[in-house]
Every structure is written in structure tokens, then in C-alpha cells.
Amino acid sequence: QVQLVESGGGSVQAGGSLRLSCAASEYTRNTYYMGWFRQAPGKEREGVAAIYTDSGRTYYDDSVKGRFAISQDNAKNTLYLQMNSLKPEDTAMYYCAAATSNLWFWGWAAPRAYNYWGQGTQVTVSS
């Protein structure tokens, strides 16, 4: 059982930065990969970034490449998402997700590739 707790969301103006954190009860020992997703009102949940916990290899959606960075601190069992140059279209609820089963064949950005989810943290970017 993996418990995930996100923090760090808030309201910022366009061009600003936020860093999201996701504290995990169990980390690299039991997870293949972790990711960040977001969901805006009326839209489907979409993958933002993912990281393989063993290798540290990262993956990004094209909409955030060059602006967002996913990272992990294994000693702290924490996943991060550094978000820079934020845009109003980045406004959404952001979720942390973990995979303790290897469901990578669904693709890193598919919600079904993850079997544990946090409760989410709201990010609001104003123009």
C-alpha cells in the first residue's frame, strides 16, 4: 500500500513558479515509476511528467517541456515538480501517482498505468 500526499499548490501570476511535492509512504523499493498528472474542470486527466524511480529517466508532455522539471529525493521519499514560466492554461488540480505494478505498456501518460493516487493540490495561474 502506497500513500501519496501532495503539497505546494497555490495561486500565482503568469510567469511565476511553484514547486509541488509528493510525500510517499514507500518509494523506490516498491515503485517502478511515478508521475504527475493534472485535470482542469471539464477536461480529462492528463499526464504532465513521469520518472522511473530506479534510473531517474524522465518524460514530459510537450506542453510543459522546458518549463517543468520532475525530480525525486529517495532519502526523503519525495517526488517534486518544479514549475516555471507558468501560464493560465496550467491551471488545474495536480495529482501525484505511483506504479507498484509495471503497467508501462499503457504509456507513461495514461492514468491506467498507475495504481496509486494522491488527493491532489490546486494550481491556479492568473493572467
Side-chain angles (χ1 to χ4, degrees), residues 2-14:
V2 178
Q3 294 180 330
L4 305 172
V5 179
E6 303 98 332
S7 62
S11 297
V12 296
Q13 290 190 328

PDB file of all heavy atoms in Angstrom, residues 2-14:
ATOM      1  N   VAL A   2       0.631   2.133  -0.929  1.00  0.00           N
ATOM      2  CA  VAL A   2       1.397   3.367  -1.029  1.00  0.00           C
ATOM      3  C   VAL A   2       0.467   4.544  -0.778  1.00  0.00           C
ATOM      4  O   VAL A   2      -0.583   4.649  -1.403  1.00  0.00           O
ATOM      5  CB  VAL A   2       2.058   3.514  -2.420  1.00  0.00           C
ATOM      6  CG1 VAL A   2       2.804   4.842  -2.517  1.00  0.00           C
ATOM      7  CG2 VAL A   2       2.995   2.357  -2.690  1.00  0.00           C
ATOM      8  N   GLN A   3       0.842   5.395   0.137  1.00  0.00           N
ATOM      9  CA  GLN A   3       0.072   6.611   0.372  1.00  0.00           C
ATOM     10  C   GLN A   3       0.840   7.803  -0.166  1.00  0.00           C
ATOM     11  O   GLN A   3       2.042   7.926   0.067  1.00  0.00           O
ATOM     12  CB  GLN A   3      -0.192   6.782   1.868  1.00  0.00           C
ATOM     13  CG  GLN A   3      -1.106   5.705   2.431  1.00  0.00           C
ATOM     14  CD  GLN A   3      -1.373   5.873   3.912  1.00  0.00           C
ATOM     15  OE1 GLN A   3      -0.542   6.395   4.651  1.00  0.00           O
ATOM     16  NE2 GLN A   3      -2.536   5.435   4.347  1.00  0.00           N
ATOM     17  N   LEU A   4       0.130   8.663  -0.870  1.00  0.00           N
ATOM     18  CA  LEU A   4       0.732   9.823  -1.512  1.00  0.00           C
ATOM     19  C   LEU A   4       0.041  11.093  -1.035  1.00  0.00           C
ATOM     20  O   LEU A   4      -1.190  11.176  -1.043  1.00  0.00           O
ATOM     21  CB  LEU A   4       0.601   9.720  -3.031  1.00  0.00           C
ATOM     22  CG  LEU A   4       1.152   8.448  -3.677  1.00  0.00           C
ATOM     23  CD1 LEU A   4       0.771   8.391  -5.143  1.00  0.00           C
ATOM     24  CD2 LEU A   4       2.658   8.375  -3.513  1.00  0.00           C
ATOM     25  N   VAL A   5       0.833  12.079  -0.638  1.00  0.00           N
ATOM     26  CA  VAL A   5       0.278  13.342  -0.165  1.00  0.00           C
ATOM     27  C   VAL A   5       0.973  14.492  -0.886  1.00  0.00           C
ATOM     28  O   VAL A   5       2.184  14.695  -0.721  1.00  0.00           O
ATOM     29  CB  VAL A   5       0.450  13.505   1.356  1.00  0.00           C
ATOM     30  CG1 VAL A   5      -0.129  14.848   1.808  1.00  0.00           C
ATOM     31  CG2 VAL A   5      -0.217  12.359   2.094  1.00  0.00           C
ATOM     32  N   GLU A   6       0.192  15.223  -1.680  1.00  0.00           N
ATOM     33  CA  GLU A   6       0.739  16.357  -2.420  1.00  0.00           C
ATOM     34  C   GLU A   6       0.669  17.641  -1.598  1.00  0.00           C
ATOM     35  O   GLU A   6      -0.205  17.800  -0.736  1.00  0.00           O
ATOM     36  CB  GLU A   6      -0.033  16.586  -3.734  1.00  0.00           C
ATOM     37  CG  GLU A   6      -0.077  15.410  -4.661  1.00  0.00           C
ATOM     38  CD  GLU A   6      -1.357  14.612  -4.548  1.00  0.00           C
ATOM     39  OE1 GLU A   6      -1.950  14.622  -3.447  1.00  0.00           O
ATOM     40  OE2 GLU A   6      -1.774  13.998  -5.543  1.00  0.00           O
ATOM     41  N   SER A   7       1.559  18.546  -1.918  1.00  0.00           N
ATOM     42  CA  SER A   7       1.548  19.881  -1.320  1.00  0.00           C
ATOM     43  C   SER A   7       2.251  20.835  -2.261  1.00  0.00           C
ATOM     44  O   SER A   7       2.901  20.409  -3.220  1.00  0.00           O
ATOM     45  CB  SER A   7       2.238  19.879   0.049  1.00  0.00           C
ATOM     46  OG  SER A   7       3.590  19.501  -0.077  1.00  0.00           O
ATOM     47  N   GLY A   8       2.113  22.142  -1.977  1.00  0.00           N
ATOM     48  CA  GLY A   8       2.836  23.140  -2.747  1.00  0.00           C
ATOM     49  C   GLY A   8       2.010  23.903  -3.760  1.00  0.00           C
ATOM     50  O   GLY A   8       2.520  24.819  -4.412  1.00  0.00           O
ATOM     51  N   GLY A   9       0.764  23.521  -3.925  1.00  0.00           N
ATOM     52  CA  GLY A   9      -0.076  24.249  -4.865  1.00  0.00           C
ATOM     53  C   GLY A   9      -0.392  25.646  -4.353  1.00  0.00           C
ATOM     54  O   GLY A   9      -0.108  25.990  -3.211  1.00  0.00           O
ATOM     55  N   GLY A  10      -0.989  26.447  -5.211  1.00  0.00           N
ATOM     56  CA  GLY A  10      -1.352  27.802  -4.820  1.00  0.00           C
ATOM     57  C   GLY A  10      -1.742  28.634  -6.018  1.00  0.00           C
ATOM     58  O   GLY A  10      -1.959  28.101  -7.113  1.00  0.00           O
ATOM     59  N   SER A  11      -1.829  29.939  -5.781  1.00  0.00           N
ATOM     60  CA  SER A  11      -2.195  30.873  -6.837  1.00  0.00           C
ATOM     61  C   SER A  11      -1.002  31.752  -7.167  1.00  0.00           C
ATOM     62  O   SER A  11      -0.392  32.333  -6.266  1.00  0.00           O
ATOM     63  CB  SER A  11      -3.372  31.741  -6.386  1.00  0.00           C
ATOM     64  OG  SER A  11      -4.511  30.958  -6.149  1.00  0.00           O
ATOM     65  N   VAL A  12      -0.698  31.857  -8.453  1.00  0.00           N
ATOM     66  CA  VAL A  12       0.417  32.681  -8.906  1.00  0.00           C
ATOM     67  C   VAL A  12       0.010  33.416 -10.166  1.00  0.00           C
ATOM     68  O   VAL A  12      -0.950  33.031 -10.849  1.00  0.00           O
ATOM     69  CB  VAL A  12       1.693  31.851  -9.199  1.00  0.00           C
ATOM     70  CG1 VAL A  12       2.218  31.206  -7.936  1.00  0.00           C
ATOM     71  CG2 VAL A  12       1.427  30.829 -10.274  1.00  0.00           C
ATOM     72  N   GLN A  13       0.754  34.466 -10.481  1.00  0.00           N
ATOM     73  CA  GLN A  13       0.531  35.157 -11.745  1.00  0.00           C
ATOM     74  C   GLN A  13       1.302  34.470 -12.854  1.00  0.00           C
ATOM     75  O   GLN A  13       2.282  33.751 -12.614  1.00  0.00           O
ATOM     76  CB  GLN A  13       0.968  36.611 -11.608  1.00  0.00           C
ATOM     77  CG  GLN A  13       0.059  37.439 -10.711  1.00  0.00           C
ATOM     78  CD  GLN A  13       0.372  38.914 -10.791  1.00  0.00           C
ATOM     79  OE1 GLN A  13       1.513  39.306 -10.996  1.00  0.00           O
ATOM     80  NE2 GLN A  13      -0.660  39.739 -10.628  1.00  0.00           N
ATOM     81  N   ALA A  14       0.861  34.701 -14.061  1.00  0.00           N
ATOM     82  CA  ALA A  14       1.542  34.139 -15.225  1.00  0.00           C
ATOM     83  C   ALA A  14       3.015  34.536 -15.200  1.00  0.00           C
ATOM     84  O   ALA A  14       3.354  35.678 -14.884  1.00  0.00           O
ATOM     85  CB  ALA A  14       0.885  34.622 -16.504  1.00  0.00           C
TER      86      ALA A  14
END
